[in-house]
């Protein structure tokens, strides 16, 4: 049984009097510990796909099975718990809470899980240390550089020891050098923690550290080298 098995996923959005058919029979299998890079043109449905796999939105049809359990058509409460326990999200614009410190940003998802404050604090401090920000734990996002903010976001995503990381252009907003350091950090954390990750990226270096590369095209995921004669999209 695969760690993640997505079958025949369809998702449309209303657009005026018509509908935009974004995902049209998308299927995917991933094994535990796999790193998958998803590439694709703007508007091809990459973020939509991540939202569905992350149980933030529901598909029109199809199934999303994690270790044999379908997360489609579950109650909102069950989905919220699933997200909180199993999934770590990293976004392009880190989405940190600006009025709270780096440490508090990493602690919050743990507190939501109902764990003891002292334990949450210890986990968050260790994670900030791991991403090289021990000295910055008391800084607010506005007092941190872009790369530092993104490292806080990665620490936050990892705080609950999720089994799957979903990242949407995690270094799309950073300069080449800073992006590179975040890639190395991600790679090191993956070696240590062996999570499964789906990373939407246009960055060839980040796609290069992934085991698999797929292109979202015509509402489906295709193997990256299998794209047609004009398929040199990157
Ligand atoms: N909530 C929504 N309501 C209506 N249309 C939507 C919604 N979300 C996405 N879409 C449409 O679905 C299509 C796919 O959007 P999506 O954000 O998944 O693309 P993307 O591949 O992530 O693009 P980008 O690379 O620009 O981030 C787009 O045409 C978008 O306008
Ligand atoms: Mg997107």
């Amino acid at each position: 049984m695969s760690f993640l098995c997505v079958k025949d996923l369809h998702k449309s959005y209303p657009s005026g009097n018509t509908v935009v058919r974004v995902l049209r029979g998308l299927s995917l299998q991933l094994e535990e510990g796999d790193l998958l890079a998803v590439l694709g043109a703007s508007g091809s449905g990459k973020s939509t796909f991540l939202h569905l796999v992350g149980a933030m939105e529901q598909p029109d049809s199809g199934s999303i099975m994690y270790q044999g359990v379908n997360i489609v058509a579950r109650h909102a409460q069950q989905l919220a718990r699933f997200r909180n326990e199993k999934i770590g999200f990293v976004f392009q614009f880190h989405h940190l809470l600006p009025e709270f410190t780096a440490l508090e940003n990493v602690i919050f998802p743990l507190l939501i899980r109902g764990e003891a404050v002292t334990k949450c604090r210890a986990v968050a401090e260790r994670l900030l240390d791991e991403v090289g920000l021990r000295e910055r734990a008391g800084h607010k996002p506005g007092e941190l550089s872009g790369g530092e903010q993104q490292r806080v976001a990665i620490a936050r995503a990892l705080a609950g020891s999720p089994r799957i990381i979903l990242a949407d252009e995690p270094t799309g907003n950073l300069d080449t050098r800073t992006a590179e350091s975040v890639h190395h950090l991600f790679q090191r954390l993956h070696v240590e923690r062996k999570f499964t990750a789906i990373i939407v990226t246009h960055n060839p270096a980040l796609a290069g550290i992934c085991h698999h590369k797929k292109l979202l095209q015509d509402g489906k995921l295709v193997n990256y080298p299998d794209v047609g004669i004009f398929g040199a999209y990157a």
Side-chain angles (χ1 to χ4, degrees):
M1 186 199 310
S2 293
F3 176 74
L4 171 65
C5 184
V6 177
K7 270 204 194 122
D8 205 20
L9 215 54
H10 287 257
K11 179 73 179 176
S12 300
Y13 291 110
S15 169
N17 293 328
T18 64
V19 288
V20 192
R21 296 176 62 219
V22 183
L23 303 183
R24 286 172 269 167
L26 182 150
S27 295
L28 170 73
Q29 276 193 30
L30 278 186
E31 301 309 322
E32 188 152 25
D34 276 352
L35 292 182
L36 169 70
V38 174
L39 301 100
S42 180
S44 58
K46 304 179 299 295
S47 296
T48 302
F49 168 63
L50 283 191
H51 294 158
L52 297 182
V53 169
M56 292 164 92
E57 275 186 79
Q58 287 288 303
D60 301 330
S61 62
S63 59
I64 302 170
M65 316 264 274
Y66 282 97
Q67 293 174 316
V69 179
N70 195 354
I71 61 158
V72 171
R74 301 246 162 183
H75 290 297
Q77 214 177 347
Q78 282 176 308
L79 290 175
R81 211 173 108 199
F82 169 79
R83 273 196 305 271
N84 195 244
E85 288 178 1
K86 305 282 188 221
I87 299 194
F89 291 97
V90 185
F91 301 94
Q92 176 174 8
F93 301 100
H94 52 77
H95 290 221
L96 298 174
L97 300 168
E99 65 275 33
F100 294 97
T101 65
L103 186 68
E104 287 163 343
N105 267 281
V106 179
I107 286 178
F108 281 143
L110 293 167
L111 287 178
I112 291 169
R113 292 166 65 146
E115 294 180 29
V117 179
T118 43
K119 187 183 163 205
C120 296
R121 195 183 171 86
V123 170
E125 280 173 348
R126 204 191 61 225
L127 269 165
L128 284 174
D129 197 17
E130 265 188 71
V131 301
L133 290 176
R134 193 213 306 226
E135 312 297 324
R136 300 277 189 281
H139 289 229
K140 292 183 180 169
E143 301 159 352
L144 296 169
S145 73
E148 288 171 343
Q149 290 176 39
Q150 203 54 318
R151 283 189 275 155
V152 176
I154 290 174
R156 178 186 54 183
L158 289 171
S161 300
R163 293 319 301 151
I164 182 154
I165 296 281
L166 301 175
D168 202 346
E169 294 275 8
T171 55
N173 200 24
L174 303 175
D175 64 77
T176 314
R177 238 177 126 160
T178 313
E180 226 165 67
S181 76
V182 175
H183 298 159
H184 288 146
L185 168 69
F186 195 80
Q187 207 168 12
R188 178 166 63 74
L189 292 170
H190 177 259
V191 169
E192 286 164 12
R193 291 165 174 261
K194 314 232 177 331
F195 47 75
T196 309
I198 301 179
I199 307 170
V200 168
T201 183
H202 288 119
N203 187 306
L206 182 53
I209 65 170
C210 293
H211 308 123
H212 310 284
K213 293 189 216 17
K214 298 218 180 242
L215 182 73
L216 217 169
Q217 194 177 49
D218 302 326
K220 294 187 176 72
L221 283 172
V222 296
N223 284 337
Y224 189 63
D226 292 352
V227 290
I229 51 170
F230 299 113
Y233 180 84

